[in-house]
Amino acid sequence: MSRPDRQHSVWGRVPRPAYGADYNPEQWDAATWKDDVRLMREAGVNLVSLGVFAWSWIEPRRDAFDFSGLDEAVELLHASGIAVDLATPTAAPPLWFSHAHPESLPVTADGRRLAPGSRQAYCPSSPLYRERAAIVTRRLAERYGDHPAVVMWHVNNEYANGNAHCWCETSATAFRTWLRTTYGDDLDALNDRWGTGVWGMTYSDWSQVTPPRTSTSRLPPALWLDFYRFSDAEHLACFRAERDIVRAHSPGRPVTTNFMASALRWSDYWRWAREVDIVSNDHYLGSEDPHRAAELAFAADLTRGLAGGRPWLLMEHSTSGVQWQHRNIAKVPGEMARNTLTHLARGADGTLFFQWRQSAYGPEKWHSAMLPHGGEDTRVWREASALGNAVSRLADVAESTCPPAPIALLLDYEAMWALELPDRPSSDLTCGDALRTWHRALWTAGLGCDIVPAPAPGAHRLLLVPSLYALSASTARALEAYVEGGGHLVVGPFSGVVDPDDRVHPGPYPGALRDLLGLTVDEYLPLTAGATVALDDGSTGNVWAERVVPDAGTEVECRFTDGPAAGGPAVLRRGNVRYLATRPDVPSLLRLLPRWAAQAGCAPAPQGAGDGVEVIRRSGPSGERSWLFAVNHTGATAHVAATGTDLLSGARAPGVVAVPAGEVAVVEEGGTGPR
C-alpha cells in the first residue's frame, strides 16, 4: 500500500496528525467562541469541522443568506491557527424548505411521509432538494473557496444514515429510469433476472415497476437488491454534485464525506471511497460491547482498506458516552486515549471527536464532548487536553503508513445485502457477524490483517472469506487466479451459492466455487437457536452445518462428531484452499487461524502481542524509519519487544517496552521490522 500522493496536493495543508472536533458555534454566543478558541489551543486542537448542520444559520429564509456569523467564526479560528474542515450543511434542510416542499420529504415502504424537524429529512432523488443543496453549496464555495483557514471540505454528513431508502413517487420514477439504463431498456431482461415468473408477477410495462413497497407477502429478492443499489447510487449522485461544485470554486483542497464504515449497512463504501480525496469515518463503540477493543481495530482496519493507501481520518468518535444507546456508559479513564491511538496505530492521519463543546439543549445534549458541561474542571477535559498534546508529539508518524499485512479479509457489500434479505435458510447467518468474529480472532491472536474488496494475486499470503453468499463470475475467476498465484484461501460456509441477482448458480452447491473447493454440498443444515456442533479436532461450530461430499483429491481435515451432519466433513482442504462447513466460534478460530497463517508463510505475531495487547508498526515512505505502537487494553502491564524511544513518555526501550495497564507506547525504532 504505497502512498505516492502523501506529499502532494491531495492532503494539501490539512494538519498531520489532525486533532480536533466538530464545532457548532451557532449553538453559542460570540463571547463563548473566544473562550472556545483559547481552550482549543490549550488542548492541541489544530482542525475543526465547521457548519455541518448550519443551513438554517446561513440561510434562515429562502435566498436570504447571512454569512456574518460564519465569517466571524472562520476568522476567529484562522487568527488562532486552527484549520477548518468546512462542511456543506445539506444533511439538515431548513424547515422553511421542508414546509414549502413537503414532496421532498422521504416516504416509508408503507407509504407514510416522514415529518420534518430532524436531520436528513429529504429524499435523495428529490430534484427540489438537489437544487437547493447546489445553491447553498455554491454560495459557500464561492465565499470560502480560497480562504486560507479552509484546508478541506466536508460534504453533507453520514449519507444514508436516517434516509437510506425512499419509496416516494419521485424515487419510483428515478428507480425506473435507473433500471431502464441498467437493463438497456429491456423489460424482458429485467423479468428474467428478477425471476418474476415466480407467483406470476411478470411486468408487461415499465410503469408497473415500483420500489419494493409493503405488500401482502414477499417480493423478489433481486428487486430488493436493485433497489439497494439504486438508493446507494442516488446518495452518491448527491455527493458528487456537491463535490464538483466545491472543486470548481476551491481547487487544491481535498473533499471528503464521513462514512459509517463499520456499521456495514446500506452504502457500498468501496465505491464511495473512489469518489473522495480523503477517506474519513465516524466510529462509535457499543458501550456495553465486551469486545469493543477488537471492534476499534476492525473499524480502523476497514477504513484503512477503504483508503487503499491514501490518507484517511477518524472524523468522529466520542470522548466518553454517547446519547443514542440504551445505556450510554461513560468511558473509563484512559479509554479515550486508547481509542484514539488505536486508530492512529492502524494508519489514521488524524482523529476528531463529536463534538467540541457539549450541547446545552437538543437531542445530543447528553453526548459527550471535548469540553463537557462542567467545563475545564472535569476528567474528560483534562484527558482530552492531555491527549491533544500527546498527539502533537507524533507529527513524524503521520508521514508514515501501515505496511500491507500478509493476511486479508474479504468484504463484499452486495453479497452482505443479499445474505441478510428475508427467506434465507437462517436469519442467524449474517455476513457482518462472520467478519467481526474472524477479525476478532485474528486480533486476539495478535495477527494483523487488511480488509479488501476482492482477491488480488500476490497481494496477501492468506485470504479469508468468512461469508460470500452471492458471487459473480468475475469474483470467482479472481479467487481462482489468487490460488493459482500461490495464495492460500479459506472460505466459510454458504458461499458461492447465488449470483448477484440472487439466482442459484446451476448445478450442485456451492455453485461457482464447486470446482475450486473440490467438493459438493448435498444439503444445508441450519442449526436451531443457540445450538452448537462439535468437531473431532476439538473445535466448536455454531449457527450452521452442511452435508458435504468431497471430490477425489480433497482432504478431510476434521469431521462433525454430533449434530445434523455428524460423521461428515467439517473442514476440507484441496491444495491451498480450505472450506469450512460450519461457523467456528472464536476459541476454535484462535486454534485454526494461526496454524493456517503459518502454513501460508505468514510471520508469527510480534512478541508480546495478542490477548488484548495490540502491536502495530507504521513505517516511513522509504522504510528507513518505523514506529511501533503498543496498545494495552488489559488490566496488567504488557511487555513488548521494542528498541527505541517512546515518544509519549520519553523513556528508552532497550529491547523491551513495559506498557502499563490501559496505556499506550509509541516507540520510534531505528528501522523497519516484520509486521
Side-chain angles (χ1 to χ4, degrees):
M1 289 187 181
S2 62
R3 284 182 141 168
D5 57 354
R6 293 186 63 82
Q7 305 297 328
H8 301 293
S9 60
V10 170
W11 194 250
R13 294 181 292 113
V14 181
R16 288 181 290 178
Y19 184 73
D22 183 285
Y23 183 40
N24 298 284
E26 65 271 23
Q27 297 180 15
W28 308 96
D29 58 38
T32 304
W33 301 354
K34 295 179 181 179
D35 201 39
D36 283 335
V37 295
R38 175 185 65 83
L39 291 171
M40 286 178 188
R41 289 177 59 85
E42 184 177 321
V45 169
N46 56 22
L47 179 70
V48 296
S49 296
L50 187 65
V52 175
F53 300 117
W55 195 339
S56 63
W57 189 38
I58 63 176
E59 192 184 8
R61 292 172 302 283
R62 184 185 183 96
D63 295 325
F65 286 92
D66 180 1
F67 291 105
S68 58
L70 187 57
D71 284 349
E72 185 177 348
V74 169
E75 292 297 339
L76 186 60
L77 290 162
H78 182 52
S80 300
I82 299 166
V84 171
D85 166 31
L86 188 59
T88 68
T90 51
L95 288 174
W96 59 256
F97 170 77
S98 300
H99 282 275
H101 302 289
E103 67 272 31
S104 70
L105 294 166
V107 171
T108 64
D110 57 3
R112 293 181 299 110
R113 189 174 297 278
L114 298 179
S118 187
R119 61 187 184 179
Q120 294 183 318
Y122 65 88
C123 164
S125 300
S126 168
L128 294 166
Y129 165 76
R130 292 191 185 194
E131 177 186 14
R132 294 310 305 184
I135 290 170
V136 71
T137 297
R138 185 171 293 107
R139 292 293 298 268
L140 277 168
E142 288 172 346
R143 190 174 190 89
Y144 301 103
D146 61 356
H147 196 290
V150 177
V151 299
M152 63 181 290
W153 287 84
H154 180 159
V155 171
N156 202 281
N157 181 76
E158 295 182 340
Y159 277 101
N161 186 357
N163 62 342
H165 311 113
C166 178
W167 286 263
C168 70
E169 284 302 321
T170 299
S171 292
T173 299
F175 184 42
R176 281 190 290 272
T177 300
W178 183 87
L179 290 169
R180 295 182 80 153
T181 300
T182 300
Y183 289 94
D185 209 22
D186 187 343
L187 190 57
D188 290 338
L190 180 143
N191 277 310
D192 177 62
R193 286 173 57 180
W194 284 11
T196 56
V198 175
W199 293 353
M201 293 294 108
T202 302
Y203 300 104
S204 59
D205 190 89
W206 281 105
S207 64
Q208 300 162 6
V209 183
T210 64
R213 293 171 173 146
T214 303
S215 188
T216 55
S217 188
R218 305 296 196 192
L219 298 168
L223 163 60
W224 279 104
L225 288 171
D226 269 343
F227 183 62
Y228 293 157
R229 294 171 183 128
F230 155 77
S231 300
D232 191 28
E234 291 295 272
H235 285 288
L236 188 54
C238 290
F239 167 76
R240 286 175 177 144
E242 293 185 41
R243 177 203 63 191
D244 292 348
I245 292 169
V246 167
R247 283 179 174 173
H249 295 282
S250 191
R253 289 167 173 82
V255 184
T256 190
T257 187
N258 44 339
F259 297 170
M260 300 174 292
S262 62
L264 296 179
R265 293 307 293 162
W266 303 119
S267 299
D268 184 343
Y269 284 125
W270 299 118
R271 186 175 297 121
W272 281 77
R274 296 193 291 268
E275 303 290 343
V276 298
D277 298 318
I278 294 175
V279 167
S280 63
N281 189 47
D282 294 354
H283 184 252
Y284 294 100
L285 287 172
S287 59
E288 295 182 270
D289 180 0
H291 309 299
R292 58 187 180 274
E295 172 65 21
L296 278 170
F298 176 78
D301 286 347
L302 175 53
T303 312
R304 185 181 70 251
L306 292 167
R310 294 176 295 151
W312 65 276
L313 291 171
L314 177 62
M315 186 62 75
E316 292 183 21
H317 68 144
S318 64
T319 57
S320 189
V322 297
Q323 98 290 347
W324 44 267
Q325 297 175 18
H326 293 298
R327 289 163 292 277
N328 296 296
I329 311 302
K331 291 181 178 175
V332 301
E335 190 174 357
M336 179 202 311
R338 288 198 306 279
N339 292 0
T340 299
L341 293 170
T342 291
H343 279 84
L344 289 175
R346 293 179 179 270
D349 295 293
T351 59
L352 283 71
F353 295 99
F354 182 86
Q355 58 182 326
W356 161 252
R357 180 183 285 271
Q358 192 168 9
S359 298
Y361 44 74
E364 294 182 316
K365 63 181 172 292
W366 298 116
H367 192 297
S368 60
M370 293 184 72
L371 186 63
H373 292 144
E376 298 167 71
D377 190 21
T378 57
R379 175 188 68 84
V380 167
W381 163 255
R382 288 189 288 271
E383 287 197 21
S385 182
L387 176 60
N389 286 283
V391 168
S392 69
R393 297 196 287 275
L394 305 180
D396 288 348
V397 178
E399 302 290 336
S400 67
T401 185
C402 291
I407 303 172
L409 274 170
L410 189 144
L411 165 61
D412 184 313
Y413 283 95
E414 293 195 6
M416 176 183 68
W417 298 342
L419 180 60
E420 296 179 11
L421 284 170
D423 305 314
R424 313 295 92 162
S426 173
S427 61
D428 297 326
L429 197 72
T430 65
C431 179
D433 285 346
L435 284 167
R436 282 183 164 87
T437 297
W438 288 50
H439 186 277
R440 179 156 57 92
L442 292 169
W443 179 86
T444 304
L447 296 170
C449 82
D450 296 328
I451 300 179
V452 299
H460 300 90
R461 292 180 179 272
L462 176 61
L463 177 63
L464 305 175
V465 185
S467 177
L468 194 59
Y469 166 68
L471 177 65
S472 67
S474 60
T475 300
R477 288 193 297 269
L479 288 169
E480 292 167 1
Y482 170 79
V483 174
E484 289 169 0
H488 289 244
L489 175 67
V490 180
V491 179
F494 205 45
S495 292
V497 184
V498 300
D499 68 13
D501 296 312
D502 202 45
R503 181 190 294 265
V504 176
H505 284 294
Y509 309 138
L513 291 177
R514 188 170 57 248
D515 293 339
L516 178 62
L517 299 174
L519 55 87
T520 296
V521 177
D522 179 66
E523 191 174 10
Y524 294 122
L525 306 168
L527 304 182
T528 58
T532 61
V533 288
L535 280 59
D536 63 13
D537 68 345
S539 299
T540 300
N542 54 43
V543 175
W544 191 262
E546 297 175 359
R547 187 170 289 112
V548 179
V549 180
D551 293 350
T554 298
E555 175 188 357
V556 177
E557 292 196 322
C558 66
R559 294 181 177 273
F560 293 104
T561 61
D562 62 11
V571 180
L572 304 93
R573 179 179 183 180
R574 186 182 184 91
N576 288 351
V577 182
R578 281 185 172 87
Y579 182 70
L580 282 68
T582 186
R583 285 200 165 173
D585 60 12
V586 169
S588 301
L589 286 168
L590 279 170
R591 288 194 302 274
L592 297 170
L593 290 176
R595 183 194 315 160
W596 296 341
Q599 291 172 357
C602 303
Q607 183 179 331
D611 295 323
V613 179
E614 300 184 54
V615 179
I616 310 104
R617 279 188 174 86
R618 292 182 60 157
S619 59
S622 302
E624 76 286 352
R625 301 178 69 187
S626 66
W627 295 264
L628 181 143
F629 283 73
V631 186
N632 185 0
H633 298 280
T634 77
T637 297
H639 296 88
V640 174
T643 301
T645 301
D646 182 357
L647 299 181
L648 300 181
S649 69
R652 181 72 183 166
V656 174
V657 59
V659 187
E663 296 191 14
V664 181
V666 183
V667 178
E668 182 173 6
E669 302 176 300
T672 59
R675 186 173 169 197

